[in-house]
mmCIF file of all heavy atoms in Angstrom:
data_model
loop_
_atom_site.group_PDB
_atom_site.id
_atom_site.type_symbol
_atom_site.label_atom_id
_atom_site.label_comp_id
_atom_site.label_asym_id
_atom_site.label_seq_id
_atom_site.Cartn_x
_atom_site.Cartn_y
_atom_site.Cartn_z
ATOM 1 N N GLU A 526 -150.735 250.126 -145.715
ATOM 2 C CA GLU A 526 -149.905 248.925 -145.661
ATOM 3 C C GLU A 526 -149.390 248.688 -144.248
ATOM 4 O O GLU A 526 -149.467 247.563 -143.723
ATOM 5 C CB GLU A 526 -148.707 249.058 -146.609
ATOM 6 C CG GLU A 526 -149.064 249.021 -148.082
ATOM 7 C CD GLU A 526 -147.861 249.408 -148.932
ATOM 8 O OE1 GLU A 526 -147.684 250.612 -149.196
ATOM 9 O OE2 GLU A 526 -147.111 248.502 -149.321
ATOM 10 N N ALA A 527 -148.890 249.731 -143.624
ATOM 11 C CA ALA A 527 -148.368 249.614 -142.263
ATOM 12 C C ALA A 527 -149.477 249.283 -141.274
ATOM 13 O O ALA A 527 -149.291 248.480 -140.356
ATOM 14 C CB ALA A 527 -147.669 250.910 -141.863
ATOM 15 N N LEU A 528 -150.658 249.903 -141.462
ATOM 16 C CA LEU A 528 -151.767 249.642 -140.548
ATOM 17 C C LEU A 528 -152.252 248.204 -140.668
ATOM 18 O O LEU A 528 -152.481 247.524 -139.661
ATOM 19 C CB LEU A 528 -152.908 250.619 -140.852
ATOM 20 C CG LEU A 528 -154.153 250.516 -139.973
ATOM 21 C CD1 LEU A 528 -153.815 250.631 -138.497
ATOM 22 C CD2 LEU A 528 -155.170 251.564 -140.384
ATOM 23 N N HIS A 529 -152.406 247.718 -141.880
ATOM 24 C CA HIS A 529 -152.812 246.323 -142.075
ATOM 25 C C HIS A 529 -151.762 245.379 -141.481
ATOM 26 O O HIS A 529 -152.097 244.372 -140.847
ATOM 27 C CB HIS A 529 -152.993 246.025 -143.557
ATOM 28 C CG HIS A 529 -154.137 246.764 -144.175
ATOM 29 N ND1 HIS A 529 -154.382 246.768 -145.540
ATOM 30 C CD2 HIS A 529 -155.119 247.530 -143.628
ATOM 31 C CE1 HIS A 529 -155.450 247.497 -145.796
ATOM 32 N NE2 HIS A 529 -155.913 247.982 -144.656
ATOM 33 N N SER A 530 -150.498 245.723 -141.688
ATOM 34 C CA SER A 530 -149.419 244.853 -141.210
ATOM 35 C C SER A 530 -149.365 244.786 -139.686
ATOM 36 O O SER A 530 -149.139 243.712 -139.120
ATOM 37 C CB SER A 530 -148.068 245.349 -141.746
ATOM 38 O OG SER A 530 -147.993 245.178 -143.135
ATOM 39 N N ILE A 531 -149.605 245.918 -139.002
ATOM 40 C CA ILE A 531 -149.486 245.906 -137.544
ATOM 41 C C ILE A 531 -150.608 245.097 -136.901
ATOM 42 O O ILE A 531 -150.406 244.443 -135.873
ATOM 43 C CB ILE A 531 -149.442 247.343 -136.969
ATOM 44 C CG1 ILE A 531 -149.001 247.343 -135.508
ATOM 45 C CG2 ILE A 531 -150.761 248.053 -137.102
ATOM 46 C CD1 ILE A 531 -147.578 246.906 -135.267
ATOM 47 N N ILE A 532 -151.795 245.108 -137.507
ATOM 48 C CA ILE A 532 -152.890 244.288 -136.977
ATOM 49 C C ILE A 532 -152.509 242.819 -137.035
ATOM 50 O O ILE A 532 -152.801 242.047 -136.117
ATOM 51 C CB ILE A 532 -154.187 244.551 -137.773
ATOM 52 C CG1 ILE A 532 -154.711 245.968 -137.481
ATOM 53 C CG2 ILE A 532 -155.265 243.520 -137.426
ATOM 54 C CD1 ILE A 532 -155.876 246.380 -138.358
ATOM 55 N N ARG A 533 -151.810 242.427 -138.093
ATOM 56 C CA ARG A 533 -151.357 241.042 -138.215
ATOM 57 C C ARG A 533 -150.093 240.769 -137.402
ATOM 58 O O ARG A 533 -149.868 239.644 -136.954
ATOM 59 C CB ARG A 533 -151.108 240.726 -139.700
ATOM 60 C CG ARG A 533 -152.377 240.629 -140.507
ATOM 61 C CD ARG A 533 -152.118 240.687 -142.016
ATOM 62 N NE ARG A 533 -151.231 239.635 -142.504
ATOM 63 C CZ ARG A 533 -151.631 238.421 -142.855
ATOM 64 N NH1 ARG A 533 -152.915 238.081 -142.751
ATOM 65 N NH2 ARG A 533 -150.771 237.536 -143.329
ATOM 66 N N ALA A 534 -149.269 241.791 -137.201
ATOM 67 C CA ALA A 534 -147.966 241.582 -136.565
ATOM 68 C C ALA A 534 -148.034 241.471 -135.053
ATOM 69 O O ALA A 534 -147.243 240.758 -134.442
ATOM 70 C CB ALA A 534 -147.010 242.713 -136.944
ATOM 71 N N VAL A 535 -148.963 242.208 -134.420
ATOM 72 C CA VAL A 535 -149.006 242.135 -132.950
ATOM 73 C C VAL A 535 -149.335 240.699 -132.540
ATOM 74 O O VAL A 535 -150.146 240.030 -133.189
ATOM 75 C CB VAL A 535 -150.038 243.123 -132.357
ATOM 76 C CG1 VAL A 535 -149.591 244.557 -132.565
ATOM 77 C CG2 VAL A 535 -151.437 242.896 -132.915
ATOM 78 N N PRO A 536 -148.709 240.195 -131.469
ATOM 79 C CA PRO A 536 -148.897 238.800 -131.104
ATOM 80 C C PRO A 536 -150.251 238.481 -130.489
ATOM 81 O O PRO A 536 -150.664 237.318 -130.462
ATOM 82 C CB PRO A 536 -147.759 238.538 -130.104
ATOM 83 C CG PRO A 536 -147.433 239.892 -129.538
ATOM 84 C CD PRO A 536 -147.665 240.864 -130.648
ATOM 85 N N GLN A 537 -150.957 239.505 -130.012
ATOM 86 C CA GLN A 537 -152.261 239.272 -129.397
ATOM 87 C C GLN A 537 -153.367 239.151 -130.454
ATOM 88 O O GLN A 537 -153.270 239.721 -131.535
ATOM 89 C CB GLN A 537 -152.637 240.425 -128.452
ATOM 90 C CG GLN A 537 -151.647 240.713 -127.351
ATOM 91 C CD GLN A 537 -150.699 241.822 -127.745
ATOM 92 O OE1 GLN A 537 -150.361 242.000 -128.925
ATOM 93 N NE2 GLN A 537 -150.213 242.566 -126.770
ATOM 94 N N PRO A 538 -154.452 238.441 -130.112
ATOM 95 C CA PRO A 538 -155.626 238.488 -130.984
ATOM 96 C C PRO A 538 -156.196 239.912 -130.996
ATOM 97 O O PRO A 538 -156.197 240.602 -129.981
ATOM 98 C CB PRO A 538 -156.617 237.527 -130.307
ATOM 99 C CG PRO A 538 -155.833 236.751 -129.319
ATOM 100 C CD PRO A 538 -154.663 237.585 -128.928
ATOM 101 N N VAL A 539 -156.650 240.343 -132.165
ATOM 102 C CA VAL A 539 -157.306 241.648 -132.306
ATOM 103 C C VAL A 539 -158.780 241.395 -132.632
ATOM 104 O O VAL A 539 -159.095 240.688 -133.594
ATOM 105 C CB VAL A 539 -156.661 242.496 -133.408
ATOM 106 C CG1 VAL A 539 -157.375 243.846 -133.522
ATOM 107 C CG2 VAL A 539 -155.178 242.700 -133.133
ATOM 108 N N ILE A 540 -159.653 241.948 -131.805
ATOM 109 C CA ILE A 540 -161.100 241.800 -131.999
ATOM 110 C C ILE A 540 -161.660 243.085 -132.578
ATOM 111 O O ILE A 540 -161.455 244.169 -132.014
ATOM 112 C CB ILE A 540 -161.828 241.483 -130.675
ATOM 113 C CG1 ILE A 540 -161.358 240.137 -130.093
ATOM 114 C CG2 ILE A 540 -163.343 241.466 -130.892
ATOM 115 C CD1 ILE A 540 -161.999 239.799 -128.752
ATOM 116 N N ALA A 541 -162.376 242.988 -133.689
ATOM 117 C CA ALA A 541 -163.129 244.124 -134.212
ATOM 118 C C ALA A 541 -164.497 244.128 -133.534
ATOM 119 O O ALA A 541 -165.253 243.155 -133.649
ATOM 120 C CB ALA A 541 -163.286 244.022 -135.720
ATOM 121 N N LYS A 542 -164.793 245.195 -132.804
ATOM 122 C CA LYS A 542 -166.110 245.368 -132.178
ATOM 123 C C LYS A 542 -166.889 246.342 -133.046
ATOM 124 O O LYS A 542 -166.580 247.534 -133.090
ATOM 125 C CB LYS A 542 -165.965 245.894 -130.744
ATOM 126 C CG LYS A 542 -167.299 246.101 -130.056
ATOM 127 C CD LYS A 542 -167.158 246.320 -128.548
ATOM 128 C CE LYS A 542 -166.627 247.691 -128.216
ATOM 129 N NZ LYS A 542 -166.698 247.969 -126.756
ATOM 130 N N VAL A 543 -167.896 245.823 -133.749
ATOM 131 C CA VAL A 543 -168.527 246.585 -134.822
ATOM 132 C C VAL A 543 -169.955 246.998 -134.478
ATOM 133 O O VAL A 543 -170.828 246.149 -134.281
ATOM 134 C CB VAL A 543 -168.531 245.784 -136.141
ATOM 135 C CG1 VAL A 543 -169.176 246.589 -137.254
ATOM 136 C CG2 VAL A 543 -167.099 245.386 -136.521
ATOM 137 N N ARG A 544 -170.145 248.314 -134.417
ATOM 138 C CA ARG A 544 -171.482 248.906 -134.392
ATOM 139 C C ARG A 544 -171.634 249.745 -135.653
ATOM 140 O O ARG A 544 -170.709 250.414 -136.087
ATOM 141 C CB ARG A 544 -171.641 249.843 -133.186
ATOM 142 C CG ARG A 544 -171.916 249.168 -131.870
ATOM 143 C CD ARG A 544 -172.273 250.196 -130.805
ATOM 144 N NE ARG A 544 -172.619 249.556 -129.560
ATOM 145 C CZ ARG A 544 -171.747 249.275 -128.590
ATOM 146 N NH1 ARG A 544 -170.481 249.633 -128.734
ATOM 147 N NH2 ARG A 544 -172.145 248.676 -127.491
ATOM 148 N N GLY A 545 -172.811 249.727 -136.246
ATOM 149 C CA GLY A 545 -173.042 250.583 -137.394
ATOM 150 C C GLY A 545 -172.247 250.143 -138.615
ATOM 151 O O GLY A 545 -172.014 248.955 -138.846
ATOM 152 N N PHE A 546 -171.804 251.123 -139.388
ATOM 153 C CA PHE A 546 -171.189 250.845 -140.680
ATOM 154 C C PHE A 546 -169.735 250.378 -140.570
ATOM 155 O O PHE A 546 -168.913 251.023 -139.930
ATOM 156 C CB PHE A 546 -171.216 252.101 -141.557
ATOM 157 C CG PHE A 546 -172.595 252.606 -141.881
ATOM 158 C CD1 PHE A 546 -173.013 253.841 -141.403
ATOM 159 C CD2 PHE A 546 -173.464 251.854 -142.643
ATOM 160 C CE1 PHE A 546 -174.293 254.321 -141.693
ATOM 161 C CE2 PHE A 546 -174.737 252.312 -142.945
ATOM 162 C CZ PHE A 546 -175.157 253.546 -142.460
ATOM 163 N N ALA A 547 -169.449 249.249 -141.215
ATOM 164 C CA ALA A 547 -168.073 248.811 -141.458
ATOM 165 C C ALA A 547 -167.948 248.745 -142.978
ATOM 166 O O ALA A 547 -168.159 247.695 -143.598
ATOM 167 C CB ALA A 547 -167.788 247.459 -140.818
ATOM 168 N N ILE A 548 -167.684 249.894 -143.573
ATOM 169 C CA ILE A 548 -167.785 250.062 -145.018
ATOM 170 C C ILE A 548 -166.430 250.475 -145.591
ATOM 171 O O ILE A 548 -165.661 251.181 -144.952
ATOM 172 C CB ILE A 548 -168.838 251.142 -145.354
ATOM 173 C CG1 ILE A 548 -170.208 250.762 -144.784
ATOM 174 C CG2 ILE A 548 -168.931 251.392 -146.856
ATOM 175 C CD1 ILE A 548 -170.858 249.553 -145.421
ATOM 176 N N GLY A 549 -166.144 250.041 -146.819
ATOM 177 C CA GLY A 549 -164.911 250.439 -147.483
ATOM 178 C C GLY A 549 -163.686 249.968 -146.710
ATOM 179 O O GLY A 549 -163.564 248.796 -146.349
ATOM 180 N N GLY A 550 -162.770 250.924 -146.437
ATOM 181 C CA GLY A 550 -161.578 250.578 -145.665
ATOM 182 C C GLY A 550 -161.898 250.097 -144.270
ATOM 183 O O GLY A 550 -161.118 249.360 -143.662
#
C-alpha cells in the first residue's frame, strides 16, 4: 500500500523502464 502510494504521491513523473518480465506485482 505504501509503495503504490509513494509512486503516485511523488510530484515527478515516474517512468517504468521495462526489460524482460513485468509479471504479478
Side-chain angles (χ1 to χ4, degrees):
E526 290 170 271
L528 181 55
H529 293 172
S530 292
I531 193 66
I532 291 172
R533 289 165 59 86
V535 292
Q537 303 96 329
V539 180
I540 297 177
K542 180 167 74 171
V543 181
R544 280 189 176 91
F546 298 115
I548 301 293

